[in-house]
Amino acid sequence: MEPIHTIGRRKTAIARVYITPGKGEVKVNRKDYKTYFPTTPLQYIVKQAFEVTDNLDKYDVTANVEGGGITGQAEAIRLGISRALIKINVEFKPELKKHGLVTRDPRMVERKKPGQKKARKRFQFSKR
């Protein structure tokens, strides 16, 4: 089986995910995911799709991720893995959807507007 390629996005983070049958190794930007994501919650986010579908040590993952922060990157990888698992077996989709792993989170940072301090905050108004 050749690698399955999918893309996951979250905020400004973009993850290109490649899945092949293997023994559960996850590489993020050529590093082990436990060194790239040092905290346990982020490591759980990366492996969550495999836990939901009972495929923990069946596939190797190689992910190239750029942009955003580490939380957005971890969630982008999770979306990419979920999409790849659906390509492997369509029967995984209802379970992944139930846990909210198929939905792309569209929330982005609102742009700063001219004549204002930030996106919504304005400069102090003085009547006199």
Side-chain angles (χ1 to χ4, degrees), residues 124-128:
Q124 187 172 17
F125 175 73
S126 172
K127 204 166 191 174
R128 288 179 187 85

Side-chain angles (χ1 to χ4, degrees), residues 1 3 13 36 38-39 65 70 78 86 101-102 114 120-121 128:
M1 177 180 144
Y36 194 85
T39 63
V65 68
I70 56 170
R78 177 177 69 182
I86 291 169
L101 304 182
V102 183
R120 304 237 173 145
K121 186 176 184 179
R128 288 179 187 85

Side-chain angles (χ1 to χ4, degrees), residues 35-93:
T35 56
Y36 194 85
F37 298 114
T39 63
T40 313
L42 293 176
Q43 294 170 12
Y44 172 75
I45 286 172
V46 171
K47 287 278 197 170
Q48 190 175 1
F50 291 124
E51 286 187 24
V52 167
T53 57
D54 295 323
N55 286 313
L56 257 180
D57 295 324
K58 294 181 183 173
Y59 297 102
D60 288 342
V61 176
T62 305
N64 298 321
V65 68
E66 55 192 32
I70 56 170
T71 305
Q73 288 182 350
E75 292 184 15
I77 291 170
R78 177 177 69 182
L79 179 61
I81 291 171
S82 299
R83 287 177 172 173
L85 287 171
I86 291 169
K87 275 188 180 180
I88 291 169
N89 187 352
V90 183
E91 294 171 12
F92 292 147
K93 189 169 183 176

